[in-house]
Amino acid sequence: MGRVSAVVFDCDGVLTDNGSSWQNIHRKFGTDTADDGSHKKTLELFLEGGITEEEFVEHDIRLWKSVKPEIHRDDIMRCYSGIGLMKGARDVVEELHRRGVYVAIVSSGVDLFVGAIANMLKVDDWAANGFESVSYTHLTLPTILLV
């Protein structure tokens, strides 16, 4: 077997101890269970192929904005307070770098969170889904889906 030249990790639940960076936002805004079940129904529709990922994420954002009409980037970042790296994640990335391996993160998680983790771990590159915003301060529709 040849030498490994690149390793790509997912972020949520792999490098970090959270399940979903999207779900963290729902918990913070109280829309994970307090929306009369529409989030769960929309998730099921998405998983069954009844709606696109963009439609699913736009529904999420509408739910959050029903709680807080102007969502700032720092509001999103506060949703990740207390989330840590998985035990050994930093060591693994450092060892891969020591061996000359290119390390990347590709995640369908939220770009603000994934970017912070990528920065923390000093990976070579990363890609994740994100939000468009008018002034880079307020969350707006549509989303930017890369993964």
Side-chain angles (χ1 to χ4, degrees):
M1 186 160 131
R3 177 175 126 22
V4 173
S5 59
V7 173
V8 179
F9 292 99
D10 191 359
C11 187
D12 297 358
V14 175
L15 294 173
T16 58
D17 62 8
N18 65 321
S20 163
S21 52
W22 295 95
Q23 194 62 31
N24 292 112
I25 300 171
H26 278 293
R27 278 190 213 104
K28 183 73 171 178
F29 289 121
T31 55
D32 52 342
T33 57
D35 69 345
D36 73 5
S38 72
H39 173 63
K40 184 177 180 182
K41 291 174 195 166
T42 306
L43 173 60
E44 289 170 3
L45 265 173
F46 168 65
L47 294 174
E48 294 168 358
I51 59 172
T52 66
E53 184 173 10
E54 186 172 68
E55 291 169 319
F56 175 57
V57 173
E58 287 179 359
H59 178 265
D60 281 354
I61 294 170
R62 282 189 196 92
L63 285 175
W64 305 333
K65 289 183 121 192
S66 73
V67 174
K68 183 172 177 156
E70 283 196 7
I71 300 172
H72 298 265
R73 287 167 117 48
D74 58 328
D75 293 322
I76 299 296
M77 288 307 293
R78 276 194 287 279
C79 297
Y80 306 120
S81 177
I83 295 172
L85 294 174
M86 287 291 213
K87 184 178 179 177
R90 187 183 309 275
D91 295 334
V92 168
V93 171
E94 287 173 357
E95 179 61 20
L96 289 168
H97 276 145
R98 190 188 69 71
R99 294 178 184 207
V101 176
Y102 184 90
V103 179
I105 300 172
V106 176
S107 175
S108 62
V110 177
D111 63 349
L112 296 172
F113 176 68
V114 175
I117 298 303
N119 214 13
M120 188 183 310
L121 292 175
K122 299 181 178 107
V123 300
D124 299 298
D125 203 0
W126 63 276
N129 295 325
F131 309 107
E132 282 191 24
S133 62
V134 175
S135 64
Y136 291 99
T137 57
H138 293 89
L139 186 65
T140 60
L141 294 172
T143 52
I144 302 168
L145 298 174
L146 301 174
V147 180

